[in-house]
Amino acid sequence: MKKTVFITGATSGFGEATAKLFAQNGHNIIITGRRNERLIALQKGIESSYGTQVLPLCFDVRDEQAVTEAIASLPEWWKNIDILINNAGLASGLEPIQEGSTEDWEKMIDTNVKGLLFVSKAIIPTMTANKKGHIINIGSTAGKEVYPNGNVYCASKHAVDAITKGMRIDLLPEGIKVTQIAPGAANTEFSTVRFHGDTERADNAYKGYQPMVAEDIAEVIYYTTTLPDHLCINDLVLTSLAQANSYVIHRNE
Ligand code: NDP
Ligand code: 8X3
């Protein structure tokens, strides 16, 4: 059955790959992010390749009013969202806590925690009214164990872990599935953003082993949505074969 899928952070990485995969499987997609030119290019690409409907919505998840207005502005036909994928997020910096920047900390907490909550708050009422829906929160192995210098990013993903558990309890009587996917290292724009545009440092994060790529995570996200109505994957940790947990990666030097 054709579903309406709302994906935050679809301008790159996991979100973009997931949008393409859902479209390829015949679903209609609402794609969001701050870079409108990328949203429009993705819309055109998906519509011409797969012939499904794509609606771009450009907003910053940190801005509660922008989030609420963007979601309220959805045409009636698009309002019945079946699947919400809370994917928009970032790391900013990788320093010991005593050297961290408050600007980086605010960016991560506002995006990864408050942004996820603002978007969920705006979409959950439709799901509760429909007595169905599926929320997929993108956490991280960083939300399972803290690693050196990961401090605030890890805290923000631990918050995603806790919020996901809380959502699942609260939305249980409403018939809404809540899933967390917690990936390990995947080669996207993530590290370039984390290292404030330093691509050399970003590339080093993926040297000496085979990291995951965005399409790997998209496959797993998609899979969680294909199960029968009575089944829900609650929490799924996903890494490349070279990674054991958030801080042990086997590299060939
Ligand atoms: P990318 O940097 O490739 O993509 C991040 C996406 O988030 C972009 O589309 C970006 O869009 C969007 N985004 C960031 N900030 C905002 C904002 N304030 N408002 C709206 N959208 C925003 O990274 P990934 O695809 O790798 O990351 C996706 C998610 O997966 C994140 O939550 C990340 O923490 C998590 N993750 C990543 C892992 C990895 O190793 N790559 C591993 C585990 C989890 P735009 O800039 O256009 O706004
Ligand atoms: C992103 C993966 O290892 O940089 O959540 O924390 S990691």
Side-chain angles (χ1 to χ4, degrees), residues 84-153:
L84 162 61
I85 303 173
N86 276 315
N87 163 74
L90 80 175
S92 197
L94 184 69
E95 281 91 30
I97 196 77
Q98 63 275 25
E99 289 168 25
S101 119
T102 54
E103 200 185 316
D104 282 341
W105 295 350
E106 281 187 316
K107 223 185 265 178
M108 291 186 276
I109 291 169
D110 287 353
T111 310
N112 301 352
V113 184
K114 289 165 70 180
L116 180 149
L117 288 170
F118 295 154
V119 172
S120 302
K121 175 129 182 98
I123 291 179
I124 285 172
T126 307
M127 292 187 173
T128 53
N130 291 341
K131 288 274 177 207
K132 70 178 171 66
H134 191 171
I135 300 173
I136 300 172
N137 293 333
I138 306 304
S140 169
T141 44
K144 301 294 182 182
E145 304 107 6
V146 176
Y147 52 80
N149 304 330
N151 44 66
V152 177
Y153 178 67

Side-chain angles (χ1 to χ4, degrees), residues 55-246:
L55 184 83
L57 270 189
C58 186
F59 62 87
D60 186 326
V61 295
R62 294 172 295 179
D63 180 341
E64 184 181 4
Q65 193 179 342
V67 170
T68 313
E69 284 176 5
I71 292 169
S73 78
L74 284 172
E76 214 47 48
W77 188 82
W78 283 96
K79 279 197 197 300
N80 279 320
I81 293 159
D82 298 291
I83 300 169
L84 162 61
I85 303 173
N86 276 315
N87 163 74
L90 80 175
S92 197
L94 184 69
E95 281 91 30
I97 196 77
Q98 63 275 25
E99 289 168 25
S101 119
T102 54
E103 200 185 316
D104 282 341
W105 295 350
E106 281 187 316
K107 223 185 265 178
M108 291 186 276
I109 291 169
D110 287 353
T111 310
N112 301 352
V113 184
K114 289 165 70 180
L116 180 149
L117 288 170
F118 295 154
V119 172
S120 302
K121 175 129 182 98
I123 291 179
I124 285 172
T126 307
M127 292 187 173
T128 53
N130 291 341
K131 288 274 177 207
K132 70 178 171 66
H134 191 171
I135 300 173
I136 300 172
N137 293 333
I138 306 304
S140 169
T141 44
K144 301 294 182 182
E145 304 107 6
V146 176
Y147 52 80
N149 304 330
N151 44 66
V152 177
Y153 178 67
C154 293
S156 74
K157 290 299 184 179
H158 274 70
V160 172
D161 191 62
I163 290 166
T164 307
K165 287 175 182 157
M167 278 184 173
R168 191 176 309 112
I169 295 168
D170 298 345
L171 295 173
L172 198 61
E174 310 292 340
I176 297 170
K177 297 187 187 189
V178 182
T179 297
Q180 172 175 246
I181 309 279
N187 193 352
T188 62
E189 292 178 14
F190 176 86
S191 288
T192 304
V193 172
R194 163 170 261 173
F195 297 124
H196 306 120
D198 181 341
T199 48
E200 204 180 317
R201 207 174 161 199
D203 289 345
N204 281 336
Y206 308 113
K207 286 224 169 102
Y209 70 105
Q210 183 181 350
M212 295 188 293
V213 292
E215 288 72 19
D216 297 328
I217 287 79
E219 284 287 345
V220 172
I221 292 173
Y222 183 72
Y223 171 70
T224 69
T225 68
T226 59
L227 298 175
D229 286 349
H230 69 289
L231 289 181
C232 179
I233 291 183
N234 292 343
D235 195 10
L236 196 154
V237 178
L238 172 70
T239 67
S240 75
L241 187 54
Q243 183 168 7
N245 60 29
S246 79

